[in-house]
Amino acid sequence: MVNAQLTAGICERLVNTTNQEEVDALYSSEPTVQILSIKKVGPTSGANAVDRYRIIVSDGEHFTQAMMATQLNHFVEEGLVGKNTIVIIEKFTSNFVQEKRLLIVLALRVVAQTNEKIGNPQGLQPPPGSEATTPAVTKPASTAAPSSAAAAASSSTLTIPSATTISTNRHPGQQNRGGKNPVIFPIEGLSPYQNNWTIKARVTQKSDIRTWANQRGEGKLFNVTLMDDSGEIRATGFNTVVDELYEKLQEGKVYFISKARVNLSKKKFNPTNNEYELSLERNTEIEECRDLTNIPVVHYNFTDLKNLGDLAKDSTCDVVGIVTEIGPTSELTSRFNKTIVKRELTIVDRSGFSVRLTLWGKQAQEFNPSSKAVIAWKNVKVGDFGGRSLSMMSTSMMEINPDIPEAHALRGWYDAGGSSSEFKSQTTSNFSGGSGAFNRDDIRFFNDVREAELGMHGDKAEYFSARGTIMHVRPENLAYPACQTQGCNKKVIEQHDGWRCERCDRSWDKPSYRYIVSMAVADHSGQAWLQGFNDAGQTVFNMTADELMEIKDRDDEKFNKIIEGTIGTQFNFTCRAKQETFNDQARVRYGIQKILPLDYKEEGKHLMALLSSDWAK
């Protein structure tokens, strides 16, 4: 017989207590209970859905149902918790479903394993008349509500990233109709079944304002990702709400939020790991929290870069890494004719692997840490271009040099000698689409590229990394006059009323010049002509095309000196080889996908690693 004392009467008190002060006391009581059964509840729809476990807990007298937060799944999967296991529930909350309280276990500690059931526990029923004293429950306008607490538990998503503490702080600025300050709800406790709630959450991400226009009219929206110690949820505001709340909600700050509508999550547009989402309305109340106690902190569940191959395409993960390469910003035009700015980084970690990670939009433009910074990313998307790659999304979060143990350990390892390690890339240089990642381990000599006939194998483009020295830059047609409309970039024609863009049907006083560079680049094996566009020209000349064209117009001698100054400069290239037909003659065109100035410190470390590897052989 196991010598363990269960907390007598705890199940009945948890289910039937309605006095709020007594409920608050129960939440901090850490009861000892026995788990009578465990049942896996399959994931709901959505790429980020995960399994959950429904459990029956007993105090020896009664039993009741509960759900385990997904952060505790490993207890079941590793065999630490099973049938009849005795545990201490360290942290928990509850949710009302069909006017019954469903427990949500957030953290637990195993006391003992046993094959025996303690006592003869019975099921619980709410006492007569208790429905009148339970908190008001607003049922969603769906055709059918869950038939029981168990059924509702099966449809709940619990995706809490780490052990959490449920705050019982009161909102200092609001009161309910009974005159009491409302309890701060955990985000994981929100559902359409409650209407009187207040959350205390940190804004981890805020989108730009987006507009739309269709047959039904025009509008605008923005969204924010909110996080507390229990989980995260997306909130969206439309039209007039954008004007009222966009500037009020700032990334990194903590707010008390209430009177927003809780809806089922539209997984097509909402990648957050929550079954619900919030709709911000005109009567939504938002108040900044200036009390620095019990502030929600970001919890990470880091994946080693070496394990990215085990993750499914389009899944999300958290990673922490050292930034070893920072690429320049570049632009691409979406299928909706919208210009998107991107920047690519290469990161490494202690697992000995590297991967390409892409930043987009404002994050790409404003990214300015020096190389070798430690950065933690939360909720980045896994791609499969050329092996494995990572990409930030609208719901992703980035922390530079975070004050967390994993970041400190990574910094110590890198500075103590990890920087000289030879990293295996999860992202190869031979992939399709976008701009490529330079790979020192896959550098091809120009003569080898020609002999391998890269780009001549059908219509598919092929990619390679190279290192070469500029031997000549064609000064003719070095840039073209482009439309000033953002995202257009089409060539404009000078007319009597200015520079006209036929595509936009607009005229400008002057054009915006963009590079179109053709240059001969050589290594020890031979030479190749490479073609590049605006980002390549800015890297080579270290100035915009407008600046260079202005110099050309007023000072030919200075312009020629700038052209001559590029001769002999060396760069790392990622190139795209593709066969094209011109005047009925097939030829291979080598386009510059990425151009990087040499980092001699990194090059030296790479050579040292190669020498050490050869010496070991």
Side-chain angles (χ1 to χ4, degrees):
M1 184 72 178
V2 175
N3 184 19
Q5 183 67 43
L6 304 184
T7 304
I10 188 65
C11 289
E12 183 176 15
R13 283 183 286 157
L14 286 172
V15 171
N16 295 330
T17 299
T18 58
N19 181 279
Q20 190 58 60
E21 292 182 359
E22 295 179 11
V23 171
D24 292 347
L26 287 175
Y27 283 160
S28 59
S29 63
E30 296 195 3
T32 301
V33 297
Q34 184 177 34
I35 297 177
L36 299 185
S37 71
I38 301 175
K39 181 178 180 181
K40 179 187 288 189
V41 180
T44 56
S45 61
N48 298 324
V50 294
D51 291 327
R52 303 169 305 282
Y53 291 95
R54 187 171 69 234
I55 61 177
I56 304 295
V57 297
S58 163
D59 59 13
E61 299 174 1
H62 298 93
F63 64 82
T64 187
Q65 296 193 57
M67 291 291 291
M68 291 177 62
T70 54
Q71 68 191 43
L72 306 180
N73 282 3
H74 69 94
F75 279 97
V76 179
E77 295 162 356
E78 296 172 8
L80 301 175
V81 167
K83 184 178 180 180
N84 295 329
T85 301
I86 299 171
V87 301
I88 294 176
I89 302 179
E90 296 178 323
K91 300 181 180 76
F92 64 100
T93 185
S94 64
N95 197 351
F96 275 93
V97 180
Q98 288 284 300
E99 301 185 1
K100 296 179 182 179
R101 181 176 276 131
L102 174 67
L103 303 183
I104 303 173
V105 179
L106 301 172
L108 59 81
R109 182 171 73 253
V110 177
V111 175
Q113 302 280 4
T114 178
N115 295 323
E116 304 173 357
K117 181 173 67 173
I118 298 176
N120 186 25
Q122 303 296 315
L124 278 166
Q125 294 294 332
S130 63
E131 290 82 356
T133 60
T134 56
V137 177
T138 302
K139 297 181 181 180
S142 59
T143 56
S147 60
S148 66
S154 300
S155 65
S156 299
T157 298
L158 299 173
T159 54
I160 302 166
S162 67
T164 59
T165 302
I166 293 301
S167 171
T168 57
N169 293 340
R170 308 288 185 172
H171 189 316
Q174 289 185 333
Q175 290 187 334
N176 59 20
R177 293 179 181 177
K180 293 183 179 180
N181 289 327
V183 172
I184 301 301
F185 271 64
I187 284 177
E188 279 298 335
L190 295 177
S191 78
Y193 294 92
Q194 288 98 19
N195 59 356
N196 293 322
W197 52 262
T198 299
I199 59 173
K200 179 181 178 181
R202 182 188 297 274
V203 176
T204 60
Q205 174 273 336
K206 183 174 78 168
S207 74
D208 295 331
I209 296 175
R210 298 194 292 272
T211 59
W212 80 85
N214 54 36
Q215 294 178 346
R216 292 179 292 181
E218 300 179 351
K220 57 185 175 180
L221 66 88
F222 82 102
N223 56 63
V224 292
T225 302
L226 304 172
M227 178 219 69
D228 67 9
D229 285 337
S230 73
E232 64 179 2
I233 193 169
R234 171 178 277 195
T236 304
F238 294 89
N239 300 327
T240 57
V241 175
V242 176
D243 300 328
E244 296 173 6
L245 299 182
Y246 186 78
E247 295 301 331
K248 189 171 187 178
L249 290 167
Q250 299 296 323
E251 287 186 359
K253 292 187 176 182
V254 178
Y255 299 88
F256 294 105
I257 302 174
S258 61
K259 297 186 180 179
R261 190 169 70 249
V262 183
N263 301 318
L264 287 173
S265 174
K266 300 178 181 66
K267 290 299 181 182
K268 180 179 179 181
F269 307 103
N270 183 358
T272 56
N273 212 348
N274 197 314
E275 196 70 13
Y276 301 111
E277 60 188 19
L278 299 179
S279 177
L280 304 176
E281 301 180 322
R282 297 190 66 178
N283 66 334
T284 296
E285 296 183 1
I286 297 177
E287 179 181 338
E288 184 177 350
C289 174
R290 303 187 185 279
D291 181 4
L292 298 182
T293 61
N294 295 319
I295 295 296
V297 296
V298 180
H299 297 287
Y300 294 96
N301 184 20
F302 290 120
T303 298
D304 288 341
L305 298 186
K306 71 175 181 181
N307 295 327
L308 292 179
D310 299 332
L311 303 181
K313 178 182 179 293
D314 296 332
S315 62
T316 60
C317 64
D318 304 343
V319 295
V320 59
I322 298 277
V323 178
T324 58
E325 291 184 9
I326 302 175
T329 57
S330 59
E331 295 180 352
L332 57 88
T333 303
S334 71
R335 59 193 179 99
F336 301 107
N337 198 32
K338 180 179 179 181
T339 299
I340 304 173
V341 179
K342 64 181 293 189
R343 185 194 299 270
E344 292 182 346
L345 315 177
T346 299
I347 64 172
V348 301
D349 69 3
R350 298 174 67 179
S351 68
F353 278 72
S354 67
V355 71
R356 186 186 77 249
L357 190 148
T358 304
L359 310 180
W360 300 93
K362 182 174 65 175
Q363 292 167 328
Q365 292 174 315
E366 297 178 355
F367 185 82
N368 61 5
S370 61
S371 182
K372 314 308 182 292
V374 179
I375 302 183
W377 282 272
K378 184 170 183 63
N379 201 35
V380 288
K381 185 177 179 181
V382 178
D384 65 351
F385 280 152
R388 277 291 180 264
S389 60
L390 298 174
S391 178
M392 290 195 71
M393 307 182 297
S394 61
T395 56
S396 301
M397 178 181 174
M398 177 173 63
E399 251 191 305
I400 300 172
N401 296 320
D403 186 14
I404 57 177
E406 294 88 346
H408 296 316
L410 183 60
R411 168 57 64 198
W413 165 80
Y414 192 82
D415 292 344
S419 58
S420 61
S421 300
E422 186 173 356
F423 297 97
K424 184 176 180 181
S425 178
Q426 284 279 21
T427 311
T428 66
S429 61
N430 212 19
F431 64 92
S432 61
S435 59
F438 177 76
N439 188 346
R440 289 183 177 84
D441 295 324
D442 195 30
I443 288 179
R444 305 287 294 270
F445 300 130
F446 290 125
N447 188 52
D448 295 337
V449 170
R450 282 192 294 271
E451 290 183 353
E453 297 183 340
L454 292 186
M456 299 179 66
H457 303 108
D459 295 331
K460 184 178 179 180
E462 296 181 275
Y463 297 81
F464 63 93
S465 295
R467 178 176 298 131
T469 302
I470 296 177
M471 307 302 294
H472 177 70
V473 176
R474 284 179 179 161
E476 305 86 7
N477 302 320
L478 191 58
Y480 72 94
C483 176
Q484 293 189 36
T485 302
Q486 185 176 7
C488 179
N489 300 332
K490 294 298 181 180
K491 185 175 181 179
V492 293
I493 302 172
E494 188 174 17
Q495 297 181 345
H496 66 280
D497 59 345
W499 295 82
R500 182 167 182 79
C501 175
E502 296 295 337
R503 178 179 180 180
C504 297
D505 193 23
R506 294 185 63 180
S507 295
W508 307 92
D509 293 337
K510 62 179 181 179
S512 174
Y513 282 95
R514 295 180 63 84
Y515 284 111
I516 179 167
V517 182
S518 180
M519 54 189 178
V521 179
D523 59 19
H524 75 279
S525 71
Q527 177 177 289
W529 281 92
L530 307 182
Q531 280 74 40
F533 292 100
N534 202 54
D535 53 346
Q538 290 184 2
T539 302
V540 170
F541 295 106
N542 198 28
M543 66 178 67
T544 66
D546 282 327
E547 292 170 333
L548 186 58
M549 290 300 100
E550 191 272 333
I551 292 173
K552 181 179 181 181
D553 289 341
R554 63 178 171 81
D555 193 337
D556 278 342
E557 183 178 355
K558 185 176 181 180
F559 172 77
N560 291 330
K561 286 184 178 180
I562 292 173
I563 299 296
E564 293 172 1
T566 65
I567 308 304
T569 54
Q570 193 174 29
F571 295 92
N572 289 326
F573 299 90
T574 299
C575 298
R576 174 181 182 269
K578 192 174 188 302
Q579 184 172 270
E580 297 179 349
T581 301
F582 183 74
N583 290 336
D584 295 327
Q585 183 177 0
R587 63 180 182 180
V588 177
R589 184 176 184 272
Y590 301 119
I592 299 172
Q593 296 294 106
K594 176 178 286 187
I595 178 171
L596 297 171
L598 266 63
D599 183 336
Y600 290 101
K601 185 177 179 180
E602 281 301 309
E603 302 298 340
K605 289 178 180 179
H606 181 66
L607 291 175
M608 288 176 62
L610 291 177
L611 290 171
S612 298
S613 176
D614 291 340
W615 181 262
K617 294 178 181 179

